[in-house]
Amino acid sequence: MGLKWLSHTLSVLLFVSLSGLISLFIVSHTLLNAHYIEGQLQADQAYSKLSVAISAELAKDAGTTDPQVTAALQNIVTPTVLQQKINSTLDQLQAFYLGNGPAPQIDVSDLVAQAQAAGVPVPANSNLSKPITLGPPNQNKGLGRSVDGVRLKSLLISGLLLVALLAVCWKRRRYTAPASVLIAISVLYGLLAAAFLTLPSVIDSHIRFDFSANAFAGVGHDLALAIAKNLGRDYAIVAIACLVVGIVSRMLIKRLQPAAVIPTVKQLPPTTAPSFVKK
């Protein structure tokens, strides 16, 4: 009874540890990865959308609605220029998360100078005339480094729990507990995949936003929707992999594990009735 309770406890702890480890791994390679965000922005044509939006915003700040001014700004704030600046800022942001650099900055002062030279009346004291710092200027420990530390600890804990669970399984001569943990993880990530793949569409169908009035909100919305769908796809892959490995492992274990021997009651030979007993 004690070994059975210990097996259940270790299985639950291993389930929690492995689930957290998988989530940390996915987050590290998606939301905390600058190249992943850059790829999503490029796939959603965000740089072209931002070029139009920023040009219109600069013309509005300059107090002009002249189409020629807007066209001149679009020739300055091109998608290629924005891609270079945004990607550079994302790389700085990733280094900042890892604790390997200062707070990231985005510098569009050269674009402001080009706009002023083209005759756009951008105020000289505009906030865009100097680099904009994103986040606190000093950071002793990066978020990414903290995530890596937690991931390493989760990996070590998961390994120790797995070894302990296998030892208990060997003691009980029942080895299906690790496979059951994988099947439980597949159910969890299957639910997460369904949520990430369906909830964005459900929210869009019930909540209406006028993205044409704010292009920046539209770009952010499209980016969040694309990331949610990609996370749902990644969670679905994890769920299918864990389910297949778990089921195959259980089948192999049951096939290889010898059947339990059921003790039988030894039958006594029939006794001969005494001669004086009347038949």
Side-chain angles (χ1 to χ4, degrees):
M1 184 65 181
L3 288 177
K4 182 178 181 181
W5 177 86
L6 182 59
S7 176
H8 289 332
T9 303
L10 290 174
S11 297
V12 172
L13 293 176
L14 183 60
F15 167 79
V16 174
S17 180
L18 281 179
S19 299
L21 179 62
I22 294 172
S23 296
L24 288 174
F25 181 83
I26 293 176
V27 169
S28 297
H29 287 78
T30 53
L31 299 180
L32 297 181
N33 190 307
H35 298 296
Y36 171 81
I37 302 296
E38 293 167 6
Q40 293 303 314
L41 289 171
Q42 188 170 4
D44 293 337
Q45 299 181 348
Y47 301 110
S48 299
K49 298 175 184 177
L50 288 174
S51 174
V52 177
I54 292 176
S55 299
E57 193 69 20
L58 286 175
K60 180 180 178 181
D61 292 341
T64 178
T65 57
D66 189 350
Q68 295 182 353
V69 173
T70 304
L73 286 171
Q74 289 185 10
N75 291 330
I76 296 172
V77 189
T78 62
T80 302
V81 171
L82 285 178
Q83 183 174 359
Q84 293 174 352
K85 291 186 174 297
I86 292 175
N87 290 359
S88 175
T89 302
L90 289 174
D91 292 338
Q92 296 177 43
L93 187 61
Q94 182 172 352
F96 179 65
Y97 282 151
L98 296 174
N100 298 327
Q105 292 182 339
I106 182 168
D107 187 3
V108 294
S109 57
D110 56 334
L111 301 182
V112 174
Q114 294 179 35
Q116 292 172 340
V120 180
V122 180
N125 59 348
S126 173
N127 293 330
L128 300 178
S129 300
K130 55 185 178 181
I132 302 173
T133 302
L134 305 176
N138 297 318
Q139 180 167 313
N140 297 326
K141 187 176 182 181
L143 175 61
R145 184 174 298 177
S146 301
V147 171
D148 290 340
V150 174
R151 185 173 58 183
L152 178 59
K153 292 178 182 178
S154 299
L155 180 61
L156 294 175
I157 293 173
S158 299
L160 293 174
L161 289 172
L162 179 59
V163 171
L165 181 59
L166 289 175
V168 174
C169 290
W170 177 82
K171 190 71 175 177
R172 297 182 63 205
R173 298 296 189 270
R174 300 185 65 178
Y175 305 97
T176 58
S180 299
V181 171
L182 288 178
I183 294 175
I185 292 176
S186 71
V187 173
L188 172 64
Y189 277 91
L191 294 175
L192 289 174
F196 275 93
L197 290 174
T198 59
L199 279 181
S201 300
V202 173
I203 292 175
D204 281 346
S205 63
H206 290 83
I207 302 177
R208 301 294 183 181
F209 294 99
D210 184 12
F211 295 112
S212 60
N214 190 335
F216 300 102
V219 170
H221 169 268
D222 294 340
L223 179 61
L225 189 63
I227 291 176
K229 290 181 178 179
N230 287 339
L231 288 177
R233 180 200 61 195
D234 294 341
Y235 288 153
I237 293 174
V238 172
I240 294 173
C242 290
L243 182 62
V244 171
V245 174
I247 292 178
V248 172
S249 299
R250 284 183 65 92
M251 293 174 62
L252 290 176
I253 290 171
K254 288 186 176 181
R255 178 174 296 181
L256 297 176
Q257 184 174 351
V261 178
I262 302 175
T264 58
V265 180
K266 185 177 181 180
Q267 295 182 354
L268 298 176
T271 58
T272 302
S275 59
F276 58 84
V277 177
K278 185 179 181 180
K279 296 183 180 180

